[in-house]
Amino acid sequence: MLLAARNVQKKFDTADGEFHVLRGVDIALDSGETLALTGESGSGKSTLLHLIGGLDVPDQGEIVIDGTDIAALDDNGRAAVRRGVVGVVFQQFNLIPSIRIKDNIAFQARLAGRYDEAWARTLAERLGLVDQLNKYPEQLSGGQQQRVAIARTLAPRPRLVLADEPTGNLDEDTAATVISILLALVDETQAGLLMVTHSTALAGRMARRMHLRVGQIA
Amino acid sequence: MTRVTLSALLSHWWRNPLQLFTLLAGLALATALWSGVQAINAEARASYDAAAATLGEGQFDRLKRRDGAPMTQDTYIALRRAGWLVSPVIEGRVDGVRLLGIEPLTAPGGLAPRAFGTVSALAGFSTGDILVAPDTKLARARLVVDAGIAPDTAISDIGTAQDILGRDGEIDLLVIAADQPILQRPLSEIAPELVRQEASTGADIASLTDSFHLNLTAFGLLSFAVGIFIVHGAIGLAFEQRRGTVRTLRALGVPLRLLVVLMGCELMGLAVFAGIMGVGLGYLIAGMLLPDVAATLRGLYGAEVAGTLQLRPIWWISSMAIALGGTALAASGALWRLSRLPLLAGAQPRALALAAGRGAKVQGVVAATLLLVAGGLALAGGGVVAGFTLLAALLIGAALALPLVLAAVLGWASNRAQGVTTSWFWADTKQQLPGLSLALMALLLAMAANIGVSTMVSSFRLTFVGFLDQRLASELYISAETPEQANLIETFSQRNAEAVLPIQKVEIALAGIPTEIYGNRDHATYRDNWQFLSATDTPWDSMHSGTGILINEQLARRGGIAIGDPLDVATSSLKVVGIFGDYGNPIGQAIIDETLFKTMFPEGSPTRFGVRISPENVDDFVAKMAAEIGVPAANTVNQAGIKAFSLGVFDRTFTVTTALNILTLAVAGFAILMSLLTLTSMRVPQLAPAWAMGMTRRQMGLLELVRTVLLALLTGAVALPLGLALAWVLLAVVNVAAFGWRLPMFLFPLDYLWLGGFALLAAAIAALWPAIRLAKTPPSDLLKVFSNER
């Protein structure tokens, strides 16, 4: 099992008191498997994704990725997981604005110490970024920037790819193209893909679907 | 991982060169102001050290004639035979250089020049070598350059000096060695005409020059504080702008600790670079100011300071330390916030405002505490250290309080705004405040320093002019070379002028304090022109009746003497009937009646005369005196000349502080420019909605300009009372502690208006470029805010 999350709970302090975002979520994913996570706004989708990505820690429960419970790791340990095991595609792309596209694509792979120039080149070609490599992020359209974000995530060949509404900022056609490429690449690398989305059409292209309602799997 | 992370961090600067420039320039300017002042101080101190090392000035007691006239060699020989370990010194000026003749074999240790390391050097000195500082322009043979000699000073054997000065057999003073035989015949038996001057008398320039340097150091610190605010602002904004990148880096797996360490190293690297630039710039500033500083010290205190600058390790090392320490100080807060930054916190447009809101309470408490400390020290503190602590607490407290005051004013205005645009303007201005607050704090400090220092300087000048009018009431002053000539001058003046006022003095100790005591003639010149800080109802009558004495403020303060106190003078006890201001005089001064003076000090005779005469008759009087009694015009000084000279010396004193003030204000203006430029790029998301709803880009640019000027105006309104408080502390606390006398404080509203105008102009100029940039923001940039593809 690539990912096994059990009884994951998370709450936040708000002005109105504690707000339980996740109330004991279980989730499992194998290598090469794709899973769509859907739900209403505020249902805890993104929070769950952040916990699995090691960006935040659960209040309770365990999240085992490739045999390691990342909920038990310290900050440095979770940073290592983010570098080497998990790749996250953010809705807002989160590219580094001050470096060129080719360096953005190579960035995470270099951090992980697994930079493969040929693979990075292949990703750029497959994602239609070859002509954009020497540009800066601000010079690209939103769709192009999202492709760069995908290339950056896949460059170190992560075991698990997490995508947080990756097409939320894109028009329908561009979104369809980007998702097709992402699915193809995930399939080739045999990574697991967990995607948070509002789109029913997009969710329909995943192998499995889970629906989150008020912090619990429906 | 380290390399790739560092390259990502550094790439920010390459893509934002303006930010890099402002950060480097802010730090360099801060360092420059500090190092410039330190360079001047270090140079002056080195000169004093050289003077002290070569001349032993201030280290040894001295014997001088009471009347100030030279003594003969017989007196010296008599004292040596009586067991007194004294060494003769003669002093004069040749080609504008101070020539000191000493006797190397009897000179106490520490007095002789360092060059006497070898027998041959001593032999050369005894037979006519003249030791001079490098670059000394003295047209004499056998000059030996010695870097240890004070600037513009030459030292020779006393015989050589007597020959050069044409004063064969004369001695000006005898230096008394620290260790003396147990049994000596008393001085009054051997040479009753001599008076012993303690090592710390008026000949000791250290305390006065220290005061001057204290002022310079205070300004240096103030300037550096302004610079630190700039650096703090630049670093804070740079971190704010990189917040998104930092978040991304962490999300991609860069450990937080590595990020903090790398950003700290990056800033330290930049600080080293900027520090080197700052030290170079400071060297230029010091080079420009040093001639004026040298002239000031020479004119006011008689201290010789070289007019050229050397690159001394002590000040550039300290300047670099300050640059690195200042950056560390400014960066520590930003790095601490970075280490606490939640990984998932986004780069919100109002992040600064939100962060500022969270810190406002803490800032308010710290500001209130500091202002309370300042208030407490103002009421109960005393001494230089307390004065400077009070200054620091007052300035920092006020600076920290400024954003809160401005936010309150803007909130009040926002609540009362009627129109839509006006409401938006006030609300938007309040939102901009956190981003601009550090620059505004810098402006506040700069303006307050300007107001404070200009008030002090102008008060000083006004008091000084009144003081000169009081002290230089006579139209003409004549110096006598001999007692016989003095008699001739007095007789001639009585015949040809309205009145003649002999000026006679001796140096004694009153209440244990070295004092010059004068015997004054009863004349309306004194009664009409002199003003007292405090006095009995009839000070002049009491004094001329022979029962009263007038003393200066320094003597009163140091001796703890008040009106009505008895004071032992020679064998009499006189009542203090008046205390007068005596600005710039380091030692005590007292005045008694002329007749009493002659009784008490029969050996003292007038060496100068004040002559009351119509100003238009001065030239005729001088010509007739030269023709009839042979007193040359060179021995006369008319009042206008003395006043002009005195005021000239005085004005030079403050050239340095004025220059520093202007520089400080310019640096504060630069801080505003830098903050605005940095904020401009962050402003687009906030301005785009207003633009979309019908406001033109030109309007927005104009409002940006108005906003800055308005904030500068509000800052100026806070700076005025702060500056006046600063002036009060300088005049009533620091000056009294450092100089021993208190200056009256005057207000100069016109000067403040000019300053306010200048500050507003600086702010407007600083805001102009960002406003134009804003007005020319391409619509495509504004549209991106609303674009789904952004």
Side-chain angles (χ1 to χ4, degrees), chain A residues 121-164:
Chain A
R121 180 86 190 165
T122 302
L123 287 170
E125 284 170 359
R126 296 280 296 278
L127 287 156
L129 294 168
V130 174
D131 294 336
Q132 318 297 334
L133 292 176
N134 284 317
K135 292 182 178 172
Y136 287 94
E138 66 183 26
Q139 296 169 296
L140 269 54
S141 69
Q144 287 172 320
Q145 288 192 48
Q146 190 58 291
R147 290 182 209 193
V148 177
I150 290 169
R152 178 183 67 184
T153 303
L154 295 174
R157 298 179 192 269
R159 301 272 290 125
L160 175 63
V161 175
L162 306 173
D164 187 3

Side-chain angles (χ1 to χ4, degrees), chain A residues 82-83 94 98 107 138 169, chain B residues 11 15 248-250 253 788:
Chain A
R82 293 198 297 272
R83 279 199 303 277
N94 284 358
S98 52
F107 195 83
E138 66 183 26
N169 283 328
Chain B
S11 67
R15 291 288 290 161
T248 302
L249 288 173
R250 287 195 61 197
N788 282 332

Side-chain angles (χ1 to χ4, degrees), chain B residues 627-668:
Chain B
E628 284 189 16
I629 60 172
V631 176
N635 285 23
T636 66
V637 182
N638 75 35
Q639 180 210 45
I642 296 179
K643 277 188 186 171
F645 174 77
S646 302
L647 288 177
V649 166
F650 174 77
D651 283 344
R652 279 204 305 272
T653 305
F654 294 98
T655 305
V656 181
T657 50
T658 306
L660 282 177
N661 269 343
I662 292 169
L663 278 171
T664 311
L665 206 56
V667 169

Side-chain angles (χ1 to χ4, degrees), chain B residues 8-20:
Chain B
L9 286 173
L10 290 177
S11 67
H12 173 83
W13 301 118
W14 294 118
R15 291 288 290 161
N16 298 279
L18 191 64
Q19 269 186 42
L20 179 66

